[in-house]
Amino acid sequence: MLTAPGTSSVSRWPVIVLLSVDAVLLATLELFYLPLRLDGVVLPKAGDVPLPLSALVAAVTTPLLVTTAERLVSRRLAMVPLLVWFVTLLVLGVEGPGGDSVLMVDWRALLLLAGGALPAAMALGGSLGRSAVSDTGTR
């Protein structure tokens, strides 16, 4: 379902909405699974060490959302899933369910934010850079 440059914008909106819903769901799950530890409850017991697997998931999925939005919708709207992911993470992290703060104040929160936002921002910058080069090359 690749859209051509001349395709109407009506067919683009369901795709960007679906990618935004994916970003909300991923940010929610990554935030709630951030406190995982090797304590023998969910993961095997190995010294009660924090294991932020959700930061790794964020580092893989947010650039994937951006590149998918670039490919299926447009290069200019490729930032929407990243912005939705970031806003969801901050809103749920600071004002979580019931007013609780879910985002921990330690290195794992920074790792989640950086692990999700930096690779996606690099993918977005590459996308917009290719767009700028192709625009100047056609003139």
Side-chain angles (χ1 to χ4, degrees), residues 73-139:
V73 181
S74 76
R75 289 186 172 138
R76 293 201 171 120
L77 289 177
M79 74 177 81
V80 171
L82 174 60
L83 291 175
V84 168
W85 178 85
F86 189 71
V87 167
T88 302
L89 202 67
L90 289 180
V91 167
L92 277 180
V94 175
E95 292 295 325
D100 296 335
S101 179
V102 180
L103 195 60
M104 297 173 272
V105 184
D106 68 354
W107 60 272
R108 292 175 285 182
L110 184 60
L111 185 66
L112 177 63
L113 286 169
L118 290 178
M122 290 175 60
L124 180 62
S127 165
L128 295 176
R130 283 189 300 276
S131 174
V133 168
S134 68
D135 287 348
T136 59
T138 58
R139 290 183 185 176

Side-chain angles (χ1 to χ4, degrees), residues 5 11 13 20 26 34 39 42-43 47 49 57 61 63 65 75 82 88 90 93 95 109 116 123 127 129-132:
S11 64
W13 290 111
S20 297
L26 282 168
L34 188 62
D39 58 358
V42 175
L43 298 175
V49 178
V57 171
T61 57
L65 288 172
R75 289 186 172 138
L82 174 60
T88 302
L90 289 180
E95 292 295 325
S127 165
R130 283 189 300 276
S131 174

